[in-house]
């Protein structure tokens, strides 16, 4: 298994090391990418992890969308690079316009920290291609604003294009159509509220998330990674020197 995964760190992120641990535990390579970076050329895929980027001021993801790294994330996604947003990362991707809809406060206004059953609906995305539609995974959730909403036209489009990656079996937060994860039109940007990195080994109580992360690391994706340009190679690591924080 191969795969270099860039894990984007915003001020207030708190799940980046969980993602690194899971990626490396499954045989991949992980590199932290600071929110001030302007290049992500050295990685094969990107993960925007959970947490409270910029303190969730205004609303989750509202400030993170303006971080310098988001220009590089947009370019990476536009070139076909796989981008996964988990929890707060999902919120950031919607705020940045890379995914449709929004995440609002949970139904009943309660913070949720539990494990849920999520059913895979689409096995053609880069995060679910090792699964089959109908596969039920036990995955942790940990959020206050995980209630996915969108307009009727957007929901109809998501359904028609089969862009709903996963649905909750027992909707915990009021998400429309039980949505737990979606993809963009091109299929290379995915937002997921459950945390697969917190369920990659049985030592964590469930290893069901491992199959999603193995899908992310699977080199059989085909068109990715791209070859870095000479300018990108010459630009050096995109972060503070002497740190894994790129």
């Amino acid at each position: 298994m191969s795969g270099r995964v860039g894990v984007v760190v915003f001020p207030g992120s708190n799940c980046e090391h969980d993602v690194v641990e899971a990626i490396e535990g499954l045989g991949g390579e992980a590199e932290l990418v600071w929110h001030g970076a302007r290049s992500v050329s050295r990685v094969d895929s990107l993960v925007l992890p959970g947490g409270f980027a910029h303190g969730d001021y205004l609303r989750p993801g509202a400030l993170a969308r303006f971080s310098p790294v988001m220009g590089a994330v947009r370019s990476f996604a536009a070139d076909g690079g796989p981008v996964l947003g988990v929890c707060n990362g999902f919120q950031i991707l919607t705020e940045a316009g890379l995914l449709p809809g929004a995440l609002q406060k949970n139904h009943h206004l309660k913070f949720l920290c539990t494990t849920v059953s999520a059913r895979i609906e689409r096995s053609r995305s880069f995060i679910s291609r090792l699964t089959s539609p109908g596969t039920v995974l036990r995955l942790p959730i940990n959020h206050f604003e995980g209630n996915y909403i969108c307009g009727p036209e957007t929901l109809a489009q998501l359904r028609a294009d089969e862009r709903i990656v996963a649905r909750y079996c027992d909707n915990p937060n009021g998400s429309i159509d039980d949505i737990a994860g979606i993809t963009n039109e091109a299929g290379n940007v995915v937002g997921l509220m459950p945390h697969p990195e917190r369920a990659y080994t049985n030592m964590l109580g469930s290893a069901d998330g491992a199959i999603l992360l193995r899908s992310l690391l699977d080199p059989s994706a085909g068109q990715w990674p791209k070859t870095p340009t000479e300018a990108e190679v010459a630009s050096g690591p995109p972060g503070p020197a002497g740190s894994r924080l790129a």
Side-chain angles (χ1 to χ4, degrees):
M1 185 173 293
S2 64
R4 295 165 296 165
V5 179
V7 183
V8 181
V9 183
F10 300 90
S13 297
N14 63 14
C15 296
E16 67 271 23
H17 293 293
D18 295 348
V19 176
V20 168
E21 175 72 20
I23 293 297
E24 293 182 347
L26 294 171
E29 300 176 36
E31 175 180 301
L32 296 180
V33 180
W34 182 235
H35 86 116
R38 298 184 183 277
S39 171
V40 293
S41 60
R42 295 173 179 275
V43 299
D44 303 327
S45 60
L46 287 172
V47 175
L48 278 61
F52 304 91
H54 295 277
D56 278 357
Y57 288 113
L58 299 181
R59 61 182 180 273
L63 297 184
R65 62 173 291 194
F66 296 109
S67 286
V69 73
M70 290 306 296
V73 172
R74 289 189 182 89
S75 296
F76 186 82
D79 288 343
V83 179
L84 170 65
V86 177
C87 196
N88 190 219
F90 187 3
Q91 296 162 340
I92 294 169
L93 292 175
T94 59
E95 288 287 340
L98 289 170
L99 289 172
L103 283 306
Q104 66 177 2
K105 291 180 175 59
N106 297 335
H107 187 52
H108 297 314
L109 301 179
K110 290 184 178 179
F111 188 93
L112 296 172
C113 181
T114 185
T115 299
V116 300
S117 295
R119 183 177 63 253
I120 299 298
E121 304 288 1
R122 170 190 167 109
S123 61
R124 292 183 287 114
S125 79
F126 68 88
I127 195 68
S128 60
R129 60 172 170 261
L130 297 182
T131 69
S132 301
T135 299
V136 175
L137 304 175
R138 293 284 293 167
L139 300 170
I141 59 170
N142 190 265
H143 59 245
F144 184 57
E145 284 103 347
N147 182 353
Y148 180 79
I149 58 169
C150 64
E153 294 182 358
T154 297
L155 180 59
Q157 198 66 54
L158 290 173
R159 288 170 171 168
D161 294 345
E162 298 182 352
R163 289 163 53 190
I164 299 172
V165 176
R167 285 187 171 93
Y168 298 109
C169 296
D170 187 8
N171 192 338
N173 54 27
S175 287
I176 189 170
D177 202 23
D178 303 329
I179 287 176
I182 60 170
T183 185
N184 66 341
E185 188 173 358
N188 67 312
V189 179
V190 168
L192 192 66
M193 283 313 293
H195 289 260
E197 79 280 7
R198 293 183 179 177
Y200 86 95
T201 170
N202 284 324
M203 290 182 65
L204 298 174
S206 171
D208 284 6
I211 195 169
L212 301 180
L213 297 177
R214 286 196 178 98
S215 293
L216 176 71
L217 296 172
D218 187 353
S220 65
Q223 74 275 16
W224 204 258
K226 70 183 181 71
T227 302
T229 65
E230 291 183 3
E232 289 170 339
V233 172
S235 67
S243 170
R244 293 193 66 204
L245 197 61

